[in-house]
Amino acid sequence: MQQRELGESGVEVSEVGFGAWVVGTDWWGDRSKDEAIEMIHHAIDEGITYFDTGDVYGHGNSEQVLGEALVDRRDEVTLATKVGYDFYNNPQAGHGELPKEITPEYVREATEKSLDRLGVDSVDVLQLHNANVEEVDEDILEVFDELKAEGTIEATGWALGPSIGWLAEGDMAIAEEFDCLQLVWNVFEQEVGNHFLETIEKTGSSTSLIPRVPHSSGLLNEQVTPETELGEGDHRGFRPDEWYETGWEKLETLRFLEGSKDGVPERTMGQAAIAYLLSHEDVATVTPTFRTKADITEWAGASEVPLTDGEVDRVDDLYETNFDIDRFDGMDSLRSSVDGEDLRDAGLARKVAGD
């Protein structure tokens, strides 16, 4: 497993990371605490050193499970968490978004509570969780600097929501040189990642990108096929049928990424999806959603089967022509940021409904 640095923080992460949202809630399948801890230990054994959690996942449960799993292995990993949602005073209603509280006082208080649940004195990375741009003022930036100076954190991050707002938020994170920026990005959904690659290049920022949902909600790892019936409550069910049908057609155009050739070991589509993101030098780590130990074993291997320049170029060409598919996939309104106003201003209107 290769390692990369988050920005210029000196914090190193494995190219494939572990999104600990899966061990704190039942949104990605039921598992006991012992099974969750076993998954975490298996990930470390497979070379994964970056573990990304958040205080709101399971209302602290993810942090507690991760902390217990790392009692004897803390020095083997890079630990990241997120703050910003006030779940202490608000009940969770299904998959709906909770109210946010982003003030210096709350960030400090929430961070201290996270450290207690994790059983540590410090974390390597602290991220703002889905903060809107107007919520992040000089006082918030200052408290992050203070936490760094105090040794409570080593690196700063900003995790973006898929449709809560992302364009101005990510651009601000890069302009302020947060060490990392987490975003939804995959072969089928590239607009966000491509925009921030351009922003980093234009500004010369050192911010690293951390893609999540690299498998496009089960399409690119082929865990959701035309025969799959999504269970009641499965968060992936919000996507329209047209999106899945179009995705399966797109998938067939990517079969050239699979298999063994030119001395590269056998590569699965699930690995190829991660390797494509890792082909961008501004990407530090990719956090897929592991459901099983088999997922961990397979996808951790993505670090060992990089794409060639020719393969990357071919994927990019396919994306530019919408994978040679000329029909609507039903997802434009879900890609918009702040109702699409900022996307239009930035010239990204092709991803906004009605344009």
Side-chain angles (χ1 to χ4, degrees):
M1 177 73 70
Q2 300 296 312
Q3 302 280 314
R4 300 189 184 187
E5 183 181 4
L6 290 180
E8 296 178 346
S9 67
V11 174
E12 292 203 339
V13 297
S14 52
E15 288 189 335
V16 180
F18 188 107
W21 42 83
V22 301
V23 300
T25 73
D26 60 2
W27 292 11
W28 293 272
D30 290 321
R31 58 183 58 82
S32 68
K33 183 172 72 172
D34 287 345
E35 290 171 331
I37 290 174
E38 190 176 339
M39 283 182 66
I40 293 166
H41 289 168
H42 182 68
I44 298 173
D45 294 340
E46 290 292 333
I48 292 173
T49 63
Y50 178 67
F51 287 80
D52 187 317
T53 186
D55 63 358
V56 75
Y57 301 144
H59 287 199
N61 187 47
S62 174
E63 291 178 327
Q64 289 175 327
V65 171
L66 189 56
E68 187 171 335
L70 297 178
V71 165
D72 298 320
R73 308 192 72 168
R74 174 65 180 96
D75 61 348
E76 299 179 56
V77 305
T78 297
L79 188 56
T81 194
K82 310 179 190 75
V83 297
Y85 282 113
D86 182 11
F87 62 90
Y88 299 102
N89 300 302
N90 300 279
Q92 182 76 49
H95 294 175
E97 186 189 11
L98 288 169
K100 283 177 287 184
E101 181 72 24
I102 299 178
T103 64
E105 296 77 19
Y106 184 83
V107 167
R108 274 194 171 277
E109 180 182 356
T111 300
E112 291 170 2
K113 290 179 178 178
S114 287
L115 296 179
D116 287 342
R117 285 189 290 267
L118 289 163
V120 296
D121 296 324
S122 64
V123 290
D124 301 290
V125 189
L126 180 66
Q127 302 164 86
L128 287 173
H129 203 171
N130 292 355
N132 294 93
V133 67
E134 64 270 13
E135 297 170 321
V136 185
D137 57 20
E138 289 299 324
D139 292 336
I140 294 297
L141 299 177
E142 183 177 349
V143 79
F144 269 74
D145 289 339
E146 291 171 356
L147 290 169
K148 261 189 176 183
E150 294 162 10
T152 303
I153 66 175
E154 291 190 49
T156 61
W158 192 328
L160 304 179
S163 59
I164 296 167
W166 59 262
L167 186 65
E169 288 73 15
D171 283 346
M172 180 178 178
I174 292 169
E176 295 292 344
E177 295 208 82
F178 277 71
D179 295 304
C180 58
L181 175 64
Q182 188 175 145
L183 65 155
V184 174
W185 183 12
N186 56 64
V187 171
F188 291 161
E189 299 164 280
Q190 293 189 34
E191 203 73 9
V192 181
N194 290 342
H195 174 79
F196 292 138
L197 288 175
E198 292 176 4
T199 302
I200 289 170
E201 183 177 7
K202 289 176 182 176
T203 61
S205 173
S206 62
T207 301
S208 293
L209 301 178
I210 300 180
R212 62 184 180 88
V213 199
H215 293 126
S216 196
S217 297
L219 289 178
L220 286 162
N221 54 19
E222 299 190 80
Q223 288 184 351
V224 177
T225 69
E227 290 72 41
T228 301
E229 292 186 14
L230 298 175
E232 185 177 351
D234 191 312
H235 75 287
R236 294 171 296 183
F238 80 90
R239 293 177 182 263
D241 291 343
E242 300 95 324
W243 181 84
Y244 282 107
E245 292 163 2
T246 303
W248 292 321
E249 290 183 40
K250 293 176 181 179
L251 181 66
E252 294 307 311
T253 70
L254 296 170
R255 293 296 181 190
F256 68 93
L257 296 174
E258 297 176 300
S260 177
K261 50 187 174 295
D262 299 329
V264 176
E266 188 76 17
R267 184 202 287 147
T268 67
M269 187 63 75
Q271 291 173 331
I274 295 171
Y276 172 77
L277 296 169
L278 290 171
S279 71
H280 301 88
E281 63 179 17
D282 292 314
V283 169
T285 182
V286 179
T287 54
T289 299
F290 299 117
R291 293 171 181 262
T292 66
K293 291 197 293 184
D295 290 343
I296 294 169
T297 298
E298 176 187 342
W299 301 338
S303 185
E304 302 170 9
V305 287
L307 270 57
T308 65
D309 291 344
E311 289 173 326
V312 172
D313 290 342
R314 190 170 170 186
V315 172
D316 291 343
D317 289 343
L318 281 168
Y319 181 75
E320 286 302 313
T321 62
N322 195 36
F323 300 86
D324 299 324
I325 297 171
D326 185 21
R327 64 186 175 86
F328 178 53
D329 68 2
M331 276 290 288
D332 276 356
S333 63
L334 298 176
R335 293 191 183 103
S336 70
S337 177
V338 197
D339 296 325
E341 194 71 36
D342 53 348
L343 299 189
R344 292 185 183 89
D345 291 344
L348 302 176
R350 78 177 203 156
K351 291 299 183 185
V352 182
D355 289 335

